[in-house]
């Protein structure tokens, strides 16, 4: 199974992000959308608001498959996230 991790702040998610996600679905079996909550940055939206916006955009508006996409938050190194999901 080919798994990809797409890390970012997604503050907010944009059409560019969505385009990358849609194109990645053609290449990978599963995509982990990982939004970070770095306390050193000032965000427009809280981590929970960003997770809600991403989930609503991908699953309610675009009707993308929840079987192929997982949306999470993370606060460690991206490489650790990749190891965790064997991406």
């Amino acid at each position: 199974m080919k798994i990809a991790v797409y890390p970012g702040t997604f503050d907010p998610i944009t059409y560019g992000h969505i385009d990358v996600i849609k194109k990645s679905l053609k290449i990978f079996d599963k995509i982990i959308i990982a939004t970070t909550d770095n306390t050193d940055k000032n965000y427009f939206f809280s981590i929970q608001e960003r997770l809600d916006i991403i989930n609503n955009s991908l699953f309610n508006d675009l009707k993308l498959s929840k079987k192929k996409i997982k949306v999470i938050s993370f606060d460690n190194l991206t490489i650790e996230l990749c190891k965790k999901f064997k991406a």
Side-chain angles (χ1 to χ4, degrees):
M1 177 179 270
K2 293 192 295 185
I3 300 172
V5 172
Y6 186 13
T9 58
F10 303 103
D11 189 36
I13 193 167
T14 66
Y15 288 119
H17 294 127
I18 291 169
D19 189 47
V20 169
I21 293 166
K22 284 181 172 180
K23 288 180 180 180
S24 298
L25 287 171
K26 296 175 184 176
I27 301 168
F28 297 98
D29 300 312
K30 185 162 190 147
I31 302 170
I32 311 297
I33 310 297
T35 185
T36 184
D37 195 22
N38 184 337
T39 57
D40 295 335
K41 292 185 177 182
N42 293 323
Y43 296 105
F44 288 116
F45 299 102
S46 71
I47 189 68
Q48 189 56 55
E49 288 172 318
R50 285 183 277 144
L51 290 169
D52 291 342
I53 292 168
I54 294 166
N55 280 304
N56 285 332
S57 298
L58 298 179
F59 305 126
N60 295 341
D61 296 339
L62 297 172
K63 308 289 188 220
L64 297 179
S65 173
K66 288 185 179 181
K67 292 179 182 179
K68 292 193 75 163
I69 301 171
K70 182 175 181 141
V71 179
I72 63 166
S73 65
F74 77 107
D75 60 1
N76 55 352
L77 296 174
T78 303
I79 188 67
E80 298 301 323
L81 195 62
C82 291
K83 287 178 184 178
K84 177 180 176 181
F85 288 101
K86 297 180 178 149

